[in-house]
Amino acid sequence: ATETGAPANEMHCLINTIMALIGSTGATFFLSQFLNDGKFDAVHVQNSTLAGGVAIGATARLAMGPGVAFLVGLCAGLISVLGYFYSSPFLEDKLGIFDTCGVGNLHGYPSVLGGLASILLVSFNFDADFLEYGVGAQQCLMQLAAVVSTLVAAIVTGLISSFLVTNVLFGTFLAEFAVTEDYEDAVWWIDVE
């Protein structure tokens, strides 16, 4: 994540993104091994290591310092792994929501963290002439409004998409598929025993 408007902003984007990715990678490897009795979960390693890059996106060009960027990434990695470990099974078992690609855990939770962090971080960057409403309460409120409106738009469009896919477009197919006792790869894939 970088911008080409000003060299200083490009450097902030570069350093903050790298530090956030380092933080999320360290958190991912630590927590994945901790939660899985000393072994790594490939899903965590493939996805949660990237959570820092997602979380820092809203604030990458701010002059927050590498330590803050590292902490944002660290928190994002932790949240992502915890999402895969606890949230995904809960959503599947209790609500019947299957996030087969881990979108919520890699992009959802870390982006909300990044958006919330942006509310705080914009109030400390006094040299940020690119902030539309300056440094202060008004900018923080605008950041909050952006986070809330993004969540509302994501939830509403997700519900509409889910309804269309499950009821309108593939309703009979999904109803037929739901009666299958066990998932068998051979039903859907060639060269599988």
Side-chain angles (χ1 to χ4, degrees):
T2 186
E3 73 150 83
T4 57
N9 292 344
E10 287 182 12
M11 188 56 66
H12 291 147
C13 287
L14 180 67
I15 291 171
N16 291 339
T17 302
I18 290 171
M19 292 306 295
L21 287 168
I22 291 170
S24 62
T25 300
T28 297
F29 276 92
F30 168 76
L31 193 57
S32 180
Q33 190 177 32
F34 180 79
L35 293 173
N36 292 296
D37 300 321
K39 294 185 178 184
F40 299 114
D41 185 332
V43 172
H44 300 163
V45 173
Q46 292 170 341
N47 293 289
S48 299
T49 53
L50 303 173
V54 173
I56 206 69
T59 56
R61 69 180 182 169
L62 294 175
M64 68 183 76
V68 174
F70 179 82
L71 286 175
V72 169
L74 185 83
C75 292
L78 294 174
I79 287 172
S80 182
V81 171
L82 290 171
Y84 280 108
F85 196 80
Y86 292 111
S87 176
S88 291
F90 174 80
L91 292 173
E92 290 172 11
D93 295 340
K94 303 296 184 195
L95 302 177
I97 297 173
F98 293 88
D99 183 6
T100 58
C101 295
V103 173
N105 300 314
L106 172 55
H107 298 286
Y109 300 142
S111 67
V112 171
L113 170 73
L116 294 175
S118 77
I119 296 168
L120 177 67
L121 293 174
V122 296
S123 63
F124 295 116
N125 195 352
F126 299 107
D127 296 327
D129 57 353
F130 52 82
L131 294 175
E132 184 72 25
Y133 299 97
V135 177
Q138 187 176 6
Q139 182 66 44
C140 293
L141 288 173
M142 290 301 182
Q143 296 292 121
L144 177 61
V147 171
V148 170
S149 62
T150 300
L151 284 172
V152 168
I155 291 169
V156 169
T157 57
L159 289 171
I160 291 169
S161 300
S162 174
F163 174 79
L164 290 175
V165 168
T166 57
N167 295 314
V168 177
L169 300 176
F170 299 108
T172 57
F173 169 76
L174 291 175
E176 180 181 321
F177 179 70
V179 299
T180 304
E181 292 277 333
D182 297 315
Y183 180 80
E184 291 290 333
D185 286 337
V187 173
W188 302 104
W189 297 91
I190 60 171
D191 299 328
V192 176
E193 297 178 20

